[in-house]
Amino acid sequence: MAYSEKVMDHFANPRNVGEIADADGVGEVGNSKCGDIMKMYIKVNNGVISDVKFKTFGCGAAIATSSMATELIKGKSIDDALKLTNKAVMEALDGLPPVKVHCSVLAEQAIKTAVADYYKRQGIDPEPIVGSMTDCHDFDCES
Amino acid sequence: MAYSEKVMDHFANPRNVGEIADADGVGEVGNSKCGDIMKMYIKVNNGVISDVKFKTFGCGAAIATSSMATELIKGKSIDDALKLTNKAVMEALDGLPPVKVHCSVLAEQAIKTAVADYYKRQGIDPEPIVGSMTDCHDFDCES
Amino acid sequence: MKKIYADNAATTSLAPKVLDVMMPYLTTQYGNPSSIYSIGAEARKAVDLSREAVANAIGATPGEIYFTSGGSESDNWAIKGVMHQLKSKGKKHIITTAFEHHAVLHTVEALVKEGFEATYLDVHSDGIVRHEDLKNALREDTGLVTIMYANNEIGTIQPIAELAKICREHGVLFHTDAVQAIGNVPINVQDENIDLLSLTAHKFHGPKGCGALYIRKGVRLQTLIHGGAQELGKRAGTENVAGIVGLAAALTNAIATMYERHEKLTSMRNRLIDGLLTIERSRLNGDRDKRLPGNVNMCFEGIEGEALLLSLDLKGICASSGSACTSGSLDPSHVLLAIGLPHEIAHGSLRLSFSDENTEEDIDYILKTVPPIIERLRSMSPLWEKIMKENK
Amino acid sequence: MKKIYADNAATTSLAPKVLDVMMPYLTTQYGNPSSIYSIGAEARKAVDLSREAVANAIGATPGEIYFTSGGSESDNWAIKGVMHQLKSKGKKHIITTAFEHHAVLHTVEALVKEGFEATYLDVHSDGIVRHEDLKNALREDTGLVTIMYANNEIGTIQPIAELAKICREHGVLFHTDAVQAIGNVPINVQDENIDLLSLTAHKFHGPKGCGALYIRKGVRLQTLIHGGAQELGKRAGTENVAGIVGLAAALTNAIATMYERHEKLTSMRNRLIDGLLTIERSRLNGDRDKRLPGNVNMCFEGIEGEALLLSLDLKGICASSGSACTSGSLDPSHVLLAIGLPHEIAHGSLRLSFSDENTEEDIDYILKTVPPIIERLRSMSPLWEKIMKENK
Ligand SMILES: Cc1ncc(COP(=O)(O)O)c(C=O)c1O
Ligand SMILES: Cc1ncc(COP(=O)(O)O)c(C=O)c1O
């Protein structure tokens, strides 16, 4: 395994844990069968993500990627947030073991799902902007 | 492997090595393909084996059993010599490793062959007295 | 920071006095046991004496003990060796359980791919095989029954003597993977009608990379590793002399201290189980009594095993979970699924396994450390949130 | 009494500095590499670094190195694994040589029993395989060619790069048992087109019971030991961490010191050969130049190998003979028969094999000790008597 120090730091001291009661968008990805569930709450002001919180059921990498992903999008514009790739999350964490790469994908998807929810609440069809969502099993739970 | 001290003693200091120029009986058993050849010379006086010598090509156990066998029959009557079993030789040597048991059989056969030769030289058919001889391969070179 | 090693079912420390016994064979006594000269003969003697010691430990004779590279090789050899041997006799059926170690399960699966057939016995919710199930599964063409002595995750101990007796009565060979049980429970292959038994040294304070297979006299099986005439001509390879000597010393010691250890560990274990069960929505996996003295296996709803283990590691506690984190698979433990747990609960298991080296203070520390970790993880778990909502 | 260990082809002493590197893993660093907590991660790191070191030593990448329990397992895995994999593709033919180690020969024989076919290449009187012979033996259905890098008895080195190139050109996989060669001659699996390569630690001052198999990326073969996900999922079993670390350290050291050792041993070897050849009716077995630097293998007519070895042991010299004394077989060496020696001569062979630890004084002592022993044994040999008579 051998997680990087960054991963362990974000696991031991996750940033932005919690819920946002009056969130503008909420996204949940993964499922318990797969072993990981990420739930992300965003608050949007003038197209900027002014606040973000998460709750995660999952392994160390799942928690750390959630934490890092929230850090990376907090204060960013929605457009920038949508550009966040799982690769960027991994890099920011100084890498992940190969078997844990899917966690970073999950984090990326959680953000997109929350943004999609935000657009939906705005009465905007999210699909052209965010793309279609896959769930845990679609990106290979086993790898 | 682990030969007993007795075996090592008889290997390092074999008794009765050599030839008897005017032997009364000579027996050779085994063959070089099998890896062991024993040649035994006996001198007979009044039905007693007054002298015995051997030459052996073969492993440590082959040399030690030859040596011990000659010790055991020297000074004995021919009848007693014929009663010498491979088991008695092994016991006198404090045992042999299982893969080396055939060497003691070879020693027994060498004595019998020498005695048979003695009888033949006396014009006596040895078979009723000594029994028929087998060679190395008959008692399983492999075991 | 306090360090507590509570993963003795994964591997154990090498006992210093076992290492002492090994040291000559790691230094001056480096001879090859097959060599004829003195230094080789010394090594041969060491291997022979070790074989005798292992035989004595399980009620076998030395000629029935074969040294291997560990439990996995022993399991593979026993199962493939017997089935390949019996194939020509028309035997193509294997009976095992759903919660065997992968060394057994994947071996059986490999045989199934070759055309053999397998029946997986139910292990019920308590993690114990029933002898009626075995009786019902036996077929005319059953060649081998392989059932582990004690499970490596939940520690449940199987009624091996009973199961093996049924096999003996039906003329079917019986193998047991006793890797977890040996040294912890008394085993006698004669009394218990066991035909083949696997063990590995590193589970009882011996070295890693050395195991043994007991093969009852008269049982024929094909060789797994062909070559030189080592191990009575049945398992080739220059002997791991130091490993073999260490295995025998460790096993001898484990057997000698078994009863007092059993008592001590059972009481520690029970106290820990009782303490952890006070945590909301926790459960003990596997029968509470028919289990290894040093095994505790719990599930805590709403949290995931790896996160729990990492948190424990940060507090100095080495433990493990059912899920094979490093195996590349994210599936929850096949053992917990076999005893009927749903996936989401099976993901949150914790195994704590103890040896002689653990103390009551370790239990105190664990009991103090686990609850706040669970609370923290649950506080950030959307699954826990859901469970709480549904049950309000 | 002087003690000279001259059987380094059978096994070598564990180098003290290799043991030093192993010691942490025999004491405090006892973690299971599959475990998630720190002590497990340390063990994992040690295994990973070792894998890297072994890869570097032979020009491979870490993902191509699989640790095993030794040379025999590696040979078995490579040969059975490849042939069982290729079976479904209609490949059923194996090419090997008549003088392989039994770990290869008996494995091939086991496959032949299963229905595979084998061709044994002639090794000629010099103990060297000819590439024309290989070319002629290749068939449409040849799946694997396995030829040892250097022979364990007579030390002859095969033209592996040449042989492997032919295989590559014909799309046939090439395995080499490099157990005796590795660390003694430079080997680069890339440059030499080797697809699979076996090695074992105890032949280069590493520990017994630990080896490796190089499997070129993309080469598929079936698993020999199923179970846990160790060794990239291809070889199950808790890793022998200390052994693996020791293997890597010993190999690294062997490679680093190869050239100076080669020079020193070659000169010692040649002096010994010249000296022993002055004995009446003696002969050197195997090519004089294309041989391992530390290998001397002689036959002395009229005497039997074991008696010679015992006599040498009494004088403090540890050596070996072609005949497998302890194997229960009294057959003379299959290697010597393969190079065309008649049985009675093949019975009388002596192998002396040297390592870094040997000195010129050892050679002096051996040269002084051997002739009187030969004389004594011949004086009591009826075979020698015969030879002398026939040649008078
Ligand atoms: C050429 C060769 N191959 C294979 C082996 C087997 O190696 P191991 O004894 O480590 O299994 C040996 C030595 O024993 C050998 O010399
Ligand atoms: C029940 C059981 N069987 C087999 C094994 C495999 O043993 P090893 O890792 O020594 O090959 C283990 C442990 O790893 C085990 O717990």
Side-chain angles (χ1 to χ4, degrees):
Chain A
M1 285 294 285
Y3 285 132
S4 69
E5 273 177 43
K6 274 262 179 67
V7 172
M8 283 310 292
D9 176 39
H10 276 263
F11 166 72
N13 312 294
R15 324 321 190 224
N16 310 311
V17 175
E19 300 167 38
I20 301 177
D22 58 343
D24 299 319
V26 180
E28 184 177 312
V29 291
N31 62 53
S32 62
K33 194 169 175 200
C34 184
D36 294 297
I37 305 175
M38 284 185 196
K39 193 166 181 181
M40 221 164 265
Y41 301 80
I42 53 173
K43 192 89 197 141
V44 181
N45 268 326
N46 298 327
V48 166
I49 296 177
S50 59
D51 199 10
V52 51
K53 298 261 185 224
F54 79 92
K55 276 197 165 186
T56 290
F57 160 82
C59 64
I63 291 170
T65 52
S66 312
S67 166
M68 179 54 86
T70 57
E71 280 277 277
L72 290 171
I73 61 164
K74 198 168 173 176
K76 296 274 163 63
S77 70
I78 284 191
D79 289 353
D80 283 351
L82 284 178
K83 282 189 203 125
L84 184 75
T85 60
N86 77 303
K87 244 184 106 193
V89 175
M90 281 207 289
E91 270 162 24
L93 286 168
D94 294 341
L96 281 178
V99 293
K100 297 299 186 182
V101 171
H102 76 283
C103 292
S104 64
V105 178
L106 210 57
E108 183 194 316
Q109 302 275 330
I111 293 170
K112 297 204 163 121
T113 311
V115 170
D117 181 51
Y118 163 75
Y119 280 123
K120 255 188 254 163
R121 294 190 195 193
Q122 306 291 315
I124 304 167
D125 176 13
E127 187 136 0
I129 310 166
V130 180
S132 73
M133 285 299 106
T134 52
D135 93 334
C136 162
H137 280 288
D138 290 353
F139 43 89
D140 192 2
C141 190
E142 298 296 305
S143 74
Chain B
M1 285 293 285
Y3 285 133
S4 69
E5 275 177 42
K6 273 260 177 70
V7 171
M8 284 309 292
D9 176 39
H10 276 264
F11 166 71
N13 310 293
R15 316 335 182 220
N16 309 310
V17 175
E19 301 167 36
I20 300 177
D22 58 343
D24 298 321
V26 180
E28 184 177 312
V29 292
N31 63 53
S32 62
K33 194 170 175 199
C34 183
D36 294 297
I37 305 174
M38 285 185 196
K39 193 165 179 182
M40 221 166 262
Y41 300 80
I42 53 171
K43 193 86 197 144
V44 182
N45 266 326
N46 296 328
V48 167
I49 296 178
S50 59
D51 199 9
V52 51
K53 298 262 186 222
F54 80 91
K55 275 194 164 186
T56 290
F57 161 82
C59 64
I63 291 171
T65 52
S66 312
S67 166
M68 179 54 88
T70 57
E71 280 278 275
L72 290 172
I73 61 164
K74 198 168 171 176
K76 296 274 162 67
S77 70
I78 284 189
D79 288 354
D80 282 352
L82 285 177
K83 281 187 204 128
L84 183 75
T85 61
N86 77 304
K87 244 183 107 192
V89 175
M90 282 208 288
E91 270 163 23
L93 286 167
D94 294 340
L96 282 178
V99 292
K100 296 300 187 182
V101 170
H102 75 283
C103 293
S104 64
V105 179
L106 210 57
E108 182 194 315
Q109 301 274 330
I111 292 170
K112 295 206 164 121
T113 312
V115 169
D117 181 51
Y118 164 74
Y119 278 123
K120 257 188 252 163
R121 293 190 196 193
Q122 306 291 315
I124 303 168
D125 176 12
E127 187 135 2
I129 307 165
V130 180
S132 72
M133 284 299 104
T134 52
D135 95 331
C136 162
H137 280 288
D138 291 353
F139 45 86
D140 192 2
C141 192
E142 297 295 305
S143 75
Chain C
M1 189 176 59
K2 204 172 164 65
K3 271 271 169 203
I4 294 175
Y5 186 73
D7 201 13
N8 289 280
T11 195
T12 56
S13 65
L14 182 59
K17 66 179 181 184
V18 171
L19 179 57
D20 285 349
V21 178
M22 293 167 66
M23 278 310 277
Y25 304 96
L26 294 169
T27 52
T28 52
Q29 295 295 328
Y30 56 82
N32 186 321
S34 296
S35 300
I36 181 174
Y37 40 77
S38 37
I39 191 181
E42 289 296 322
R44 160 72 43 223
K45 204 155 79 187
V47 171
D48 286 346
L49 289 175
S50 301
R51 202 183 304 282
E52 234 175 275
V54 174
N56 286 340
I58 61 170
T61 57
E64 298 175 316
I65 304 297
Y66 299 83
F67 291 111
T68 68
S69 67
S72 300
E73 183 190 329
S74 294
D75 285 341
N76 274 260
W77 184 17
I79 298 169
K80 293 179 193 165
V82 164
M83 291 313 294
H84 285 148
Q85 179 74 30
L86 293 179
K87 198 177 168 182
S88 63
K89 298 211 173 113
K91 305 276 186 190
K92 61 168 193 294
H93 182 232
I94 312 161
I95 297 173
T96 185
T97 75
F99 77 161
E100 296 294 311
H101 190 270
H102 284 138
V104 169
L105 279 186
H106 289 167
T107 298
V108 170
E109 283 161 22
L111 288 175
V112 167
K113 266 198 198 141
E114 284 180 32
F116 291 94
E117 292 167 20
T119 299
Y120 299 87
L121 298 180
D122 187 3
V123 295
H124 298 260
S125 61
D126 55 4
I128 310 275
V129 174
R130 303 298 190 265
H131 68 268
E132 306 84 42
D133 292 346
L134 171 60
K135 272 192 192 145
N136 292 334
L138 282 167
R139 305 192 328 205
E140 271 297 300
D141 63 349
T142 304
L144 180 72
V145 174
T146 171
I147 296 175
M148 67 200 315
Y149 212 111
N151 183 269
N152 48 308
E153 287 189 29
I154 59 174
T156 49
I157 299 169
Q158 307 307 315
I160 292 298
E162 217 180 324
L163 300 167
K165 188 154 171 275
I166 293 169
C167 292
R168 179 64 53 91
E169 284 162 4
H170 286 76
V172 172
L173 291 176
F174 184 83
H175 167 251
T176 186
D177 174 343
V179 161
Q180 292 286 339
I182 194 111
N184 288 316
V185 294
I187 296 179
N188 184 300
V189 290
Q190 278 302 331
D191 297 351
E192 299 174 52
N193 287 312
I194 296 166
D195 294 310
L196 303 113
L197 177 147
S198 303
L199 59 90
T200 189
H202 71 99
K203 304 286 187 183
F204 44 80
H205 300 288
K208 293 175 178 54
C210 191
L213 180 62
Y214 156 77
I215 306 173
R216 177 183 292 274
K217 206 179 158 190
V219 170
R220 297 191 55 190
L221 79 176
Q222 296 207 352
T223 294
L224 185 69
I225 299 182
H226 290 89
Q230 291 92 351
E231 298 303 307
L232 309 161
K234 290 196 181 156
R235 199 283 188 186
T238 302
E239 295 89 338
N240 177 355
V241 183
I244 287 169
V245 165
L247 183 155
L251 183 56
T252 304
N253 188 54
I255 302 278
T257 60
M258 182 160 56
Y259 288 97
E260 74 188 270
R261 186 160 25 94
H262 196 286
E263 204 163 323
K264 172 189 149 185
L265 289 182
T266 303
S267 118
M268 279 166 56
R269 175 195 80 187
N270 289 343
R271 188 159 74 88
L272 181 57
I273 291 174
D274 290 337
L276 291 176
L277 280 175
T278 63
I279 295 173
E280 191 184 2
R281 290 190 171 265
S282 63
R283 53 164 284 159
L284 174 70
N285 298 314
D287 191 273
R288 186 178 165 124
D289 298 314
K290 289 180 197 141
R291 73 191 298 132
L292 291 173
N295 176 289
V296 173
N297 189 304
M298 311 276 301
C299 277
F300 305 98
E301 284 182 42
I303 67 167
E304 193 270 349
E306 196 216 76
L308 176 54
L309 297 189
L310 284 176
S311 305
L312 288 171
D313 187 29
L314 290 172
K315 295 286 182 190
I317 299 172
C318 302
S320 74
S321 162
S323 66
C325 299
T326 55
S327 73
S329 159
L330 301 172
D331 288 337
S333 152
H334 70 284
V335 172
L336 299 182
L337 297 180
I339 60 169
L341 295 198
H343 271 73
E344 60 271 26
I345 296 183
H347 269 297
S349 78
L350 171 66
R351 179 185 70 181
L352 295 155
S353 50
F354 301 95
S355 83
D356 243 0
E357 289 169 356
N358 294 104
T359 62
E360 293 285 353
E361 286 72 48
D362 292 353
I363 305 297
D364 294 339
Y365 183 78
I366 295 170
L367 281 173
K368 203 180 68 192
T369 308
V370 171
I373 290 176
I374 304 248
E375 197 168 332
R376 170 177 172 269
L377 291 173
R378 280 178 173 170
S379 78
M380 55 197 276
S381 163
L383 184 57
W384 182 247
E385 197 183 303
K386 234 172 266 174
I387 294 166
M388 287 296 95
K389 256 187 219 143
E390 280 164 17
N391 291 276
K392 242 197 310 226
Chain D
M1 190 175 57
K2 205 172 163 63
K3 271 273 169 201
I4 294 175
Y5 186 72
D7 200 13
N8 289 279
T11 196
T12 57
S13 65
L14 182 59
K17 66 178 179 184
V18 171
L19 179 57
D20 284 349
V21 179
M22 294 167 65
M23 279 310 277
Y25 304 95
L26 294 170
T27 52
T28 52
Q29 294 296 329
Y30 56 82
N32 186 321
S34 296
S35 299
I36 180 175
Y37 39 78
S38 37
I39 190 181
E42 289 295 321
R44 159 73 44 225
K45 204 155 77 189
V47 170
D48 286 346
L49 288 175
S50 301
R51 203 185 304 284
E52 236 175 272
V54 174
N56 287 339
I58 61 170
T61 57
E64 299 175 316
I65 304 297
Y66 299 84
F67 292 111
T68 67
S69 67
S72 300
E73 184 191 327
S74 294
D75 285 341
N76 274 259
W77 184 17
I79 299 169
K80 292 179 194 166
V82 164
M83 291 313 295
H84 285 147
Q85 180 74 30
L86 293 179
K87 198 178 167 182
S88 63
K89 299 211 171 110
K91 305 274 187 193
K92 63 168 193 289
H93 182 231
I94 312 160
I95 297 174
T96 185
T97 74
F99 78 162
E100 296 293 313
H101 189 270
H102 283 137
V104 168
L105 279 186
H106 289 167
T107 299
V108 170
E109 283 161 23
L111 287 175
V112 167
K113 265 197 198 144
E114 284 180 31
F116 291 94
E117 292 166 21
T119 299
Y120 299 87
L121 298 179
D122 188 2
V123 294
H124 299 259
S125 62
D126 56 3
I128 310 276
V129 174
R130 303 298 191 266
H131 67 267
E132 307 83 42
D133 292 345
L134 171 59
K135 273 192 190 145
N136 292 335
L138 282 167
R139 306 192 329 205
E140 272 296 301
D141 63 348
T142 304
L144 180 72
V145 174
T146 171
I147 296 175
M148 68 200 317
Y149 212 112
N151 182 270
N152 49 308
E153 286 189 28
I154 59 174
T156 50
I157 299 169
Q158 308 307 315
I160 291 298
E162 217 180 323
L163 299 167
K165 188 153 171 278
I166 294 170
C167 292
R168 179 63 54 91
E169 284 163 4
H170 286 77
V172 172
L173 291 175
F174 184 83
H175 167 250
T176 185
D177 174 343
V179 162
Q180 292 286 339
I182 193 110
N184 288 316
V185 295
I187 296 179
N188 184 301
V189 290
Q190 279 302 331
D191 298 350
E192 299 174 52
N193 287 312
I194 296 166
D195 295 309
L196 303 112
L197 178 146
S198 303
L199 60 89
T200 190
H202 70 98
K203 306 285 186 183
F204 45 80
H205 301 288
K208 293 175 177 57
C210 191
L213 180 63
Y214 156 78
I215 305 173
R216 177 183 291 275
K217 207 180 156 188
V219 170
R220 296 190 56 192
L221 78 176
Q222 297 208 350
T223 294
L224 185 69
I225 299 182
H226 290 89
Q230 291 93 351
E231 298 303 306
L232 309 160
K234 290 195 180 156
R235 198 284 189 186
T238 301
E239 296 90 337
N240 177 356
V241 183
I244 287 170
V245 165
L247 183 154
L251 183 55
T252 305
N253 188 55
I255 302 280
T257 60
M258 183 160 57
Y259 288 97
E260 76 188 91
R261 187 159 23 94
H262 196 286
E263 204 163 324
K264 172 188 149 185
L265 289 182
T266 303
S267 118
M268 278 166 57
R269 175 195 79 188
N270 289 344
R271 187 160 75 86
L272 182 57
I273 290 174
D274 291 337
L276 291 177
L277 280 175
T278 62
I279 295 174
E280 190 183 2
R281 292 188 170 265
S282 62
R283 54 164 284 158
L284 175 70
N285 298 314
D287 191 272
R288 188 179 163 124
D289 298 313
K290 290 179 197 143
R291 73 190 300 131
L292 291 174
N295 176 289
V296 173
N297 189 305
M298 311 276 301
C299 276
F300 305 98
E301 284 182 42
I303 66 167
E304 193 271 348
E306 196 216 78
L308 176 54
L309 297 188
L310 284 176
S311 305
L312 287 170
D313 187 30
L314 291 172
K315 296 286 181 190
I317 300 171
C318 302
S320 74
S321 161
S323 65
C325 299
T326 56
S327 72
S329 158
L330 301 172
D331 287 338
S333 151
H334 71 283
V335 173
L336 300 181
L337 297 180
I339 60 169
L341 295 197
H343 271 73
E344 60 270 26
I345 296 182
H347 269 297
S349 79
L350 171 67
R351 179 184 71 181
L352 296 155
S353 50
F354 301 94
S355 85
D356 244 359
E357 288 169 356
N358 294 102
T359 62
E360 293 285 353
E361 287 71 49
D362 292 354
I363 306 296
D364 294 338
Y365 183 79
I366 294 170
L367 281 172
K368 202 181 67 190
T369 309
V370 171
I373 289 175
I374 305 251
E375 196 169 331
R376 171 176 171 270
L377 290 173
R378 281 179 172 169
S379 77
M380 55 199 274
S381 164
L383 184 58
W384 182 248
E385 196 182 302
K386 235 172 266 176
I387 294 166
M388 287 296 96
K389 254 187 218 142
E390 280 162 17
N391 290 277
K392 243 197 309 228

